[in-house]
Amino acid sequence: MTEPLLSVIVPVYNVAQYLDRCLASIVNQTYHRLEIILVDDGSTDTSPKICEDWAKRDNRIKVIHKINAGLGYARNTGIAKATGDYIAFVDSDDYLRTDAYAIMMEQLTNTQVQVGYYGHFDVWPAVTTTLESPAQSEIITGDRLESFTCNVIAPASNTTKEPFTGVSAWSAIYLRSFLMDNHLFFFSEREVISEDVFFNTMVSLDADNILVVPDYLYFYDHRNDSLSRKHRDDKWLCSKSMVHKLRSIIAKHADISGYEERLDRLLMINLLVCMKQEFSLIDIKGWKHIYRYVKSLCMDNTTKRVLNIYPIKKMPIKQRVFYSSVKHKLIIIVIMLVWFKLRGEQV
């Protein structure tokens, strides 16, 4: 029996320093039946040449060069070109265990599920960490899919724990026919901030079954200059727009009331992210700018609406202190807490 073909889509944009490591980890997989699609998203460094060089050495590699349009649309280009039975994504500054796809393809073939998630290593400059894994592989179906979807959106009010599966597209392998039949593609991160939250929320809403494998198979490299850490002036505006669009999408599939608290938590998480990223400008714009910016977010009508209804008292103590300070517009305290967070204290 012929093994299923796995299409591995790798968006590439100005990652020459990391690209060889990434591609070596894919090419050297012990599961050999791969279609490797490199989507060069208008890189201006030597990444395009590196892609072409790898394609000359391995006939499983296809290279697509396109005008820059962002990560989400680069992934869509790869999906459109993929011919495999399954689709996986790898960010070009990350890498895999060499047995990652062998483990997952055996599980997917045996269970015949539509989506299979796995764990990852968080690679920080000084340490590598992991999230707590389930005891064994499990297939999620029926009513449990709503809980899974909620965890994709944001943690529950009484925890800060991220789900073992994470929320990134690279944390799963997807049956290609499932994606195509449900017209599942990516929004642009320029439009919705987190295209992965959107994509995996839509995936879990449409899925009949989801496999979770307890193995750590992917290395996520936390770089200071990565796309997710880039400063943008419209981040809070886009965060609010993202949650509004996500709410509309969920409402078409399910009773929205079961998801409202998680959507509010997603906004609260993005509120903190916006504040943290604004601190990157402190040497340029100074403390007065930080004060005005933090105050504007605390005074924002959406912030006030969410914090007036969210069960802050259920949150762990550090989060409770932070969001209570935002709610009561204690600007100096909020600034201090964000500063401590950036210096390594957990908020």
Side-chain angles (χ1 to χ4, degrees):
M1 180 178 174
T2 304
E3 291 180 322
L5 178 64
L6 173 61
S7 297
V8 183
I9 297 170
V10 186
V12 176
Y13 181 69
N14 289 353
V15 285
Q17 180 180 350
Y18 310 96
L19 190 51
D20 281 326
R21 179 185 68 180
C22 172
L23 297 182
S25 77
I26 300 171
V27 166
N28 293 325
Q29 287 290 305
T30 56
Y31 188 88
H32 299 290
R33 191 157 158 72
L34 304 177
E35 173 187 55
I36 304 167
I37 303 173
L38 311 182
V39 184
D40 166 36
D41 192 33
S43 297
T44 57
D45 64 357
T46 59
S47 295
K49 183 180 184 303
I50 295 172
C51 290
E52 294 293 349
D53 288 345
W54 275 94
K56 292 175 184 176
R57 288 153 35 197
D58 193 315
N59 61 13
R60 297 175 298 174
I61 297 177
K62 302 174 182 178
V63 182
I64 301 169
H65 300 285
K66 62 183 290 294
I67 296 172
N68 179 260
L71 175 63
Y73 288 163
R75 286 172 173 166
N76 289 344
T77 298
I79 293 173
K81 296 293 184 182
T83 62
D85 301 290
Y86 293 87
I87 288 178
F89 302 96
V90 179
D91 284 357
S92 49
D93 50 355
D94 298 336
Y95 52 104
L96 294 152
R97 270 177 45 177
T98 55
D99 59 350
Y101 292 149
I103 291 171
M104 288 304 300
M105 294 308 295
E106 180 181 9
Q107 294 260 14
L108 289 167
T109 302
N110 290 340
T111 59
Q112 295 292 303
V113 295
Q114 295 162 317
V115 189
Y117 285 88
Y118 47 85
H120 66 276
F121 299 93
D122 286 295
V123 182
W124 303 92
V127 67
T128 297
T129 61
T130 58
L131 299 170
E132 183 180 352
S133 70
Q136 59 189 13
S137 296
E138 59 178 338
I139 297 176
I140 298 170
T141 59
D143 293 341
R144 294 178 64 208
L145 286 168
E146 179 176 330
S147 176
F148 185 91
T149 305
C150 283
N151 285 331
V152 169
I153 297 168
S157 59
N158 63 349
T159 184
T160 60
K161 290 177 60 176
E162 295 179 37
F164 168 73
T165 56
V167 297
S168 298
W170 44 251
S171 62
I173 295 178
Y174 309 87
L175 185 66
R176 184 168 73 93
S177 60
F178 164 70
L179 297 183
M180 304 308 289
D181 290 347
N182 290 284
H183 308 288
L184 293 171
F185 294 92
F186 289 88
F187 284 80
S188 169
E189 70 281 2
R190 298 172 183 178
E191 179 184 359
V192 298
I193 298 294
S194 178
E195 74 287 348
D196 284 333
V197 171
F198 254 88
F199 183 75
N200 276 325
T201 298
M202 293 188 295
V203 163
S204 56
L205 286 169
D206 283 323
D208 297 318
N209 45 59
I210 293 174
L211 171 69
V212 177
V213 175
D215 299 83
Y216 301 98
L217 304 178
Y218 188 99
F219 293 85
Y220 172 38
D221 194 347
H222 291 263
R223 296 191 293 116
N224 289 331
D225 59 342
S226 67
L227 178 64
S228 62
R229 294 171 181 264
K230 296 289 185 184
H231 179 274
R232 52 187 293 179
D233 292 335
D234 64 344
K235 194 173 186 71
W236 178 236
L237 181 64
C238 286
S239 296
K240 294 189 289 185
S241 175
M242 176 184 75
V243 172
H244 176 74
K245 291 175 182 177
L246 199 54
R247 181 177 281 108
S248 297
I249 288 171
I250 294 171
K252 295 176 182 178
H253 288 77
D255 180 0
I256 191 64
S257 62
Y259 300 88
E260 288 285 10
E261 186 175 298
R262 301 302 180 98
L263 290 167
D264 286 343
R265 182 68 183 273
L266 179 60
L267 261 175
M268 293 163 67
I269 291 169
N270 284 336
L271 179 79
L272 175 57
V273 170
C274 289
M275 290 182 183
K276 287 166 56 181
Q277 292 201 352
E278 202 66 22
F279 271 73
S280 66
L281 303 179
I282 194 167
D283 291 337
I284 301 170
K285 296 192 175 183
W287 283 102
K288 286 185 178 180
H289 168 78
I290 297 298
Y291 182 90
R292 287 193 297 267
Y293 181 80
V294 171
K295 182 178 180 180
S296 71
L297 293 191
C298 292
M299 298 295 293
D300 182 86
N301 286 333
T302 299
T303 303
K304 290 190 285 187
R305 178 192 65 79
V306 168
L307 295 185
N308 278 335
I309 61 175
Y310 193 82
I312 295 175
K313 290 182 178 180
K314 292 183 180 179
M315 302 182 82
I317 182 63
K318 291 182 180 179
Q319 288 72 32
R320 197 186 320 157
V321 170
F322 175 75
Y323 290 110
S324 293
S325 299
V326 174
K327 178 179 179 179
H328 295 290
K329 304 172 186 63
L330 305 176
I331 311 302
I332 297 298
I333 293 176
V334 172
I335 291 172
M336 290 173 59
L337 291 171
V338 176
W339 178 249
F340 290 146
K341 168 66 174 174
L342 290 171
R343 293 176 64 87
E345 294 291 330
Q346 184 178 2
V347 171

